[in-house]
């Protein structure tokens, strides 16, 4: 329903698809507001979803769940490819995304079930069950692939499979919540049913919450994901794979309770909380306070 002034109320999955198709010119407008109605039916029943290429307004899920769909993209993608607005109060359930496109450089390839690249705010959002898989170098997270904005009060829960493989190239970044973070993450978590499987890429960076944290701030976060590698060298941490900084980084009141299983040898840097915490080119302080880990590490790393 068009309420005027670029304000829309949506009552069904079909209605949402039609809105994005027929009102596409307004989706990139920062004044656009999309609200899901509480009595609506948002079960997509296995349909393909074409990612919203760019969103600048407000998408209010209103506590509703969009479920049972496959993201249809040959390259970088998610429910939303680029968000510079506000996405809030939304759950995605039983979502699948697999892409085999080959592109140059991890930063060119953000992929997440909710948002591929977030430059705005994601608040009170949930990914509940599903799978995401890529076979090329990229920034890969179940919720957000690459975050430069704010992710708050959000979580990945249920049985979610995150996997990489094939011709991965160098330094893929994979996290249970976010692949690459240079923004702010607050009060967000990854549940025990989340599995991360790394099979490809030299120097893969993987964390239960964040694969690579660059100057990002984390507060009140938790990861319980299980991480497994298959004969490929990785840098891994129960919470963060690598945290690097050219300015001071703060990690406060965070903990990890998952597991890391290493197959083969040559895994250079493994940690229960953080795999590697330095930037030898632009060294700066990393402040860790009120954090702990009970992550179980098994296998044969060179250095733990």
């Amino acid at each position: 329903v068009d309420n005027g002034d670029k304000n829309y109320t949506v009552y069904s999955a079909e209605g949402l698809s039609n809105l994005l198709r027929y009102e596409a010119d307004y989706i990139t407008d920062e004044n656009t507001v999309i609200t899901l109605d509480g009595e609506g039916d948002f079960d997509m029943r296995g349909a393909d979803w074409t990612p919203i290429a760019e969103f600048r307004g407000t998408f209010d899920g209103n506590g509703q769940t969009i479920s049972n769909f496959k993201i249809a993209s040959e390259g970088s993608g998610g429910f939303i490819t680029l968000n510079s607005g506000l996405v809030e109060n939304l759950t995605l359930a039983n979502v699948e995304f697999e892409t085999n496109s080959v592109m140059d450089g991890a930063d060119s390839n953000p992929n997440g079930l909710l948002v591929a690249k977030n430059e705005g705010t994601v608040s009170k959002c949930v990914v509940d069950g599903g799978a995401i898989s890529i076979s090329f170098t990229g920034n890969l997270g179940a919720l957000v692939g690459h975050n430069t904005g704010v992710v708050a009060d959000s979580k990945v829960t249920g049985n979610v499979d995150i996997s990489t493989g094939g011709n991965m190239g160098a330094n893929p970044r994979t996290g249970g919540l976010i692949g690459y973070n240079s923004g702010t993450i607050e009060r967000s978590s990854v549940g025990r049913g989340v599995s991360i499987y790394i099979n490809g890429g030299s120097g893969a960076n993987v964390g239960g919450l964040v694969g690579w944290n660059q100057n990002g701030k984390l507060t009140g976060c938790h990861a319980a994901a299980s991480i497994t590698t298959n004969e490929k060298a990785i840098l891994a941490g129960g919470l963060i794979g690598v945290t690097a900084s050219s300015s001071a980084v703060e990690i406060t009141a965070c903990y990890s309770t998952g597991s890391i299983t290493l197959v083969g040898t040559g895994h250079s840097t493994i940690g229960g909380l953080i795999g590697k915490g330095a930037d030898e080119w632009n060294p700066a302080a990393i402040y860790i306070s009120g954090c702990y880990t009970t992550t179980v590490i098994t296998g044969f790393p060179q250095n733990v």
Side-chain angles (χ1 to χ4, degrees), residues 24 57 95 101 128-129 135 148 157 219 231 235 238 260 267 275 286 296 303:
V95 183
S101 179
D128 184 2
S135 60
T148 62
T157 189
T219 305
E231 301 287 352
L235 293 82
I260 302 173
H267 307 294
I286 299 172
V296 176
N303 301 294

Side-chain angles (χ1 to χ4, degrees), residues 53-190:
E54 183 177 4
F55 189 76
R56 297 179 181 176
T58 297
F59 192 112
D60 185 359
N62 195 25
Q64 300 308 296
T65 299
I66 303 175
S67 62
N68 302 316
F69 64 93
K70 297 179 180 179
I71 295 172
S73 175
E74 290 300 320
S76 175
F79 181 76
I80 298 170
T81 299
L82 173 62
N83 173 56
S84 55
L86 170 63
V87 182
E88 61 180 351
N89 306 315
L90 176 65
T91 295
L92 302 183
N94 300 322
V95 183
E96 296 182 6
F97 179 30
E98 179 178 359
T99 180
N100 299 313
S101 179
V102 177
M103 300 172 70
D104 293 330
D107 291 340
S108 301
N109 298 291
N111 293 276
L113 291 177
L114 181 65
V115 176
K117 185 172 184 180
N118 178 53
E119 297 177 350
T121 299
V122 172
S123 177
K124 298 179 182 177
C125 290
V126 178
V127 167
D128 184 2
I132 181 168
S133 175
I134 64 173
S135 60
F136 57 91
T137 294
N139 297 319
L140 173 65
L143 188 79
V144 174
H146 185 172
N147 177 54
T148 62
V150 175
V151 173
D153 301 298
S154 297
K155 63 183 178 180
V156 178
T157 189
N159 294 321
V160 179
D161 293 327
I162 304 167
S163 62
T164 68
N167 185 21
M168 289 299 295
N171 303 317
R173 303 143 177 170
T174 306
L177 190 80
I178 296 170
Y180 182 99
N181 176 60
S182 57
T184 299
I185 309 173
E186 301 174 337
R187 301 175 301 278
S188 296
S189 64
V190 174

Side-chain angles (χ1 to χ4, degrees), residues 201-267:
S202 61
N205 310 289
V206 54
L209 192 85
V210 177
W212 185 292
N213 183 58
Q214 182 73 39
N215 299 330
K217 181 178 181 180
L218 279 69
T219 305
C221 296
H222 167 226
S226 62
I227 299 169
T228 304
T229 181
N230 182 16
E231 301 287 352
K232 297 293 182 179
I234 64 173
L235 293 82
L239 186 77
I240 301 170
V242 175
T243 188
S245 59
S246 55
S247 59
V249 170
E250 297 181 11
I251 301 170
T252 307
C254 296
Y255 63 102
S256 60
T257 59
S259 64
I260 302 173
T261 302
L262 306 168
V263 178
T265 60
H267 307 294

